[in-house]
Amino acid sequence: MKEKEIRDRMQTNLVIPDVVQERAQLAFDRIRKDQIKKGKVIGMRKKRRKKSMWIIIAAAVFAFGTMTACAAYLRWSRGIEAQLQATEEQKRMLEEEQYTEPLKNEGDSAEQTGGVTDAGVTVTPLQSIVDSRFAWLSFLVEGYELEEGQEPCFNDITIVADDNIEAPISWTGSFYNGIHRNEEGNPVYEDGSPADGEIFVKEDGSMEYIIIIDATQYGGLTGKKLHVEFTDLGTVYKTAYTPDLEASWSFDFTLKGSDKVRTLTLSEPLGDTGATVIYAEISPISLYVNYEFPLQEEMVEGVNENGESIASRDFVEAPPVTGVRLKDGTLDGYITGGGSMGYLGESTEVYTCSFQLDRILDVDQVDALLFRKAWPETSRAMTEEDVYIVPVE
């Protein structure tokens, strides 16, 4: 490889931190001093000698920089990166703040790669992103031949935290299907084109399974032990599972992550809904909100299976948080994913909602929370008329 090609490749693929540049300069200075002592002053040699010096410095930069600058890119799973639409800057931010780490199997069945193989299929943990309330986990699945038009599915998944089988963990999981939501809330492929079907298999024949855990009721998962076990593998149509392989893949992790959040004490009514926002937490991957909202009952009319009109008693819900406004005026209105809503503990006065995000936030750039007033009638970007806006400082 030519010197220019080496230099261009490094400049393209590496974002070199200041400390790495300083260490590389120190290495360069030491080499220069050694050369001077030997009567070989850099700058008076032929180009061939300069080329070898560049390679030495390149090696020094790679040695100091690989664990910092490259790590954020090498360990991101394709599915999580696409679903969160993560930019390089956002990925570096999550790693520097220690929200994300490689997911390492500590179980007895762990091989050197961390993967577990059964019935010819290997499942390998890839990445975790963990904050005070939610956790993303991704796994690579290799060796399973999926017929075109089929949707893969594990028959059963067990998730236990801290060996406490009595404390339920709320989670959702699925094979990554190549689809995420755009700014208008519409499903699109990774290249931005409209999604007209699901793509489960990558170019190399592998697949990726993503689990999102809502640990709000559990008190968070940072620093805790987590056991995950996948059982059997097949396909699913609607809710009908068709078995294919009898196997199991078991993993044990100590989840790392960050509890760092931006906390807000508020007192902002949401129009005439009767709800007042009193508290919020914003992390790069989740939103948590408390409201003062006294319990209200309502009668809901519907139709039963016989086509007869029926009425049932239900409870009025507070407007859910649906996104944020940034300091530059951008409205990110379709960024909340799965989560939970309801009254806090035994209270019938304090209502809460907690959602994971489909984007990565720079929490310091948030200047308002958005609460859904009404869904747009057509697919379009959300506007101020669609939401209640709660400014934050």
Side-chain angles (χ1 to χ4, degrees):
M1 183 180 294
K2 296 181 180 179
E3 175 184 348
K4 184 178 185 303
E5 294 175 334
I6 295 174
R7 184 169 58 253
D8 290 344
R9 178 168 294 185
M10 289 182 64
Q11 291 174 342
T12 299
N13 295 335
L14 283 177
V15 178
I16 304 174
D18 292 340
V19 66
V20 175
Q21 294 180 358
E22 292 171 1
R23 291 175 180 175
Q25 186 61 47
L26 290 173
F28 186 90
D29 291 342
R30 287 196 298 270
I31 295 167
R32 182 182 178 87
K33 290 177 182 178
D34 290 341
Q35 294 295 336
I36 291 174
K37 289 179 181 179
K38 296 177 182 178
K40 300 176 181 179
V41 180
I42 298 174
M44 298 178 64
R45 306 298 299 173
K46 295 181 181 180
K47 289 185 178 180
R48 170 188 280 178
R49 190 62 179 171
K50 284 187 178 181
K51 179 178 180 180
S52 66
M53 291 304 301
W54 170 252
I55 293 174
I56 292 172
I57 297 301
V61 173
F62 273 110
F64 290 121
T66 299
M67 294 305 293
T68 54
C70 292
Y73 306 107
L74 295 179
R75 60 183 174 228
W76 273 75
S77 83
R78 177 174 172 179
I80 289 182
E81 180 178 354
Q83 288 197 337
L84 291 176
Q85 301 175 56
T87 66
E88 294 180 359
E89 181 179 1
Q90 290 170 337
K91 290 188 287 185
R92 287 196 300 273
M93 181 269 290
L94 283 191
E95 183 172 346
E96 290 169 0
E97 297 292 336
Q98 300 183 341
Y99 288 95
T100 183
E101 292 285 344
L103 192 58
K104 297 180 180 179
N105 183 17
E106 302 170 351
D108 295 336
S109 59
E111 300 175 357
Q112 288 184 350
T113 62
V116 175
T117 301
D118 195 2
V121 174
T122 300
V123 179
T124 304
L126 294 177
Q127 180 185 4
S128 66
I129 305 179
V130 184
D131 73 355
S132 60
R133 299 188 182 278
F134 288 87
W136 290 68
L137 312 177
S138 64
F139 300 81
L140 184 69
V141 180
E142 300 174 287
Y144 185 68
E145 295 186 5
L146 183 69
E147 295 184 9
E148 186 175 353
Q150 297 292 314
E151 178 179 349
C153 182
F154 289 108
N155 185 37
D156 187 42
I157 300 176
T158 300
I159 301 178
V160 177
D162 284 343
D163 297 324
N164 189 354
I165 61 175
E166 301 299 327
I169 294 291
S170 177
W171 62 273
T172 182
S174 63
F175 279 90
Y176 173 58
N177 62 2
I179 299 173
H180 65 266
R181 291 189 301 172
N182 64 11
E183 294 180 353
E184 296 180 347
N186 294 321
V188 296
Y189 293 126
E190 292 178 8
D191 62 3
S193 61
D196 57 3
E198 297 177 297
I199 303 174
F200 295 103
V201 181
K202 302 178 184 179
E203 293 83 355
D204 61 3
S206 67
M207 299 182 294
E208 189 173 328
Y209 196 86
I210 297 176
I211 293 173
I212 303 175
I213 301 173
D214 181 353
T216 299
Q217 302 300 321
Y218 196 83
L221 293 175
T222 54
K224 295 182 179 179
K225 299 286 186 180
L226 194 72
H227 175 78
V228 179
E229 185 169 351
F230 302 93
T231 304
D232 301 339
L233 184 58
T235 59
V236 64
Y237 178 71
K238 294 184 178 179
T239 59
Y241 171 77
T242 301
D244 189 7
L245 298 178
E246 291 187 1
S248 65
W249 302 266
S250 180
F251 304 91
D252 291 283
F253 311 107
T254 300
L255 289 184
K256 298 181 180 180
S258 175
D259 289 333
K260 182 179 178 181
V261 295
R262 180 182 173 187
T263 60
L264 303 164
T265 300
L266 304 161
S267 181
E268 189 72 24
L270 301 181
D272 59 359
T273 65
T276 298
V277 180
I278 57 175
Y279 177 79
E281 293 177 1
I282 308 173
S283 99
I285 63 167
S286 70
L287 292 174
Y288 175 81
V289 177
N290 284 349
Y291 318 67
E292 285 183 353
F293 187 58
L295 184 68
Q296 305 172 53
E297 294 185 2
E298 65 176 349
M299 297 303 295
V300 179
E301 295 184 355
V303 179
N304 63 17
E305 59 185 6
N306 298 320
E308 301 169 339
S309 297
I310 58 173
S312 59
R313 188 177 64 179
D314 203 349
F315 301 101
V316 177
E317 294 182 349
V321 63
T322 188
V324 299
R325 185 181 68 192
L326 304 179
K327 290 181 179 179
D328 63 5
T330 301
L331 293 183
D332 282 339
Y334 295 103
I335 66 172
T336 53
S340 57
M341 298 174 59
Y343 285 92
L344 187 62
E346 299 297 322
S347 171
T348 57
E349 297 286 334
V350 180
Y351 191 89
T352 184
C353 64
S354 180
F355 294 119
Q356 52 88 189
L357 302 180
D358 292 337
R359 304 284 194 281
I360 297 172
L361 288 182
D362 181 344
V363 298
D364 294 330
Q365 292 302 310
V366 175
D367 83 340
L369 298 175
L370 307 180
F371 294 82
R372 192 181 74 213
K373 184 184 298 182
W375 286 111
E377 294 181 359
T378 58
S379 296
R380 58 172 173 78
M382 194 168 286
T383 67
E384 293 185 1
E385 288 72 27
D386 302 316
V387 292
Y388 300 103
I389 300 177
V390 176
V392 300
E393 296 181 358

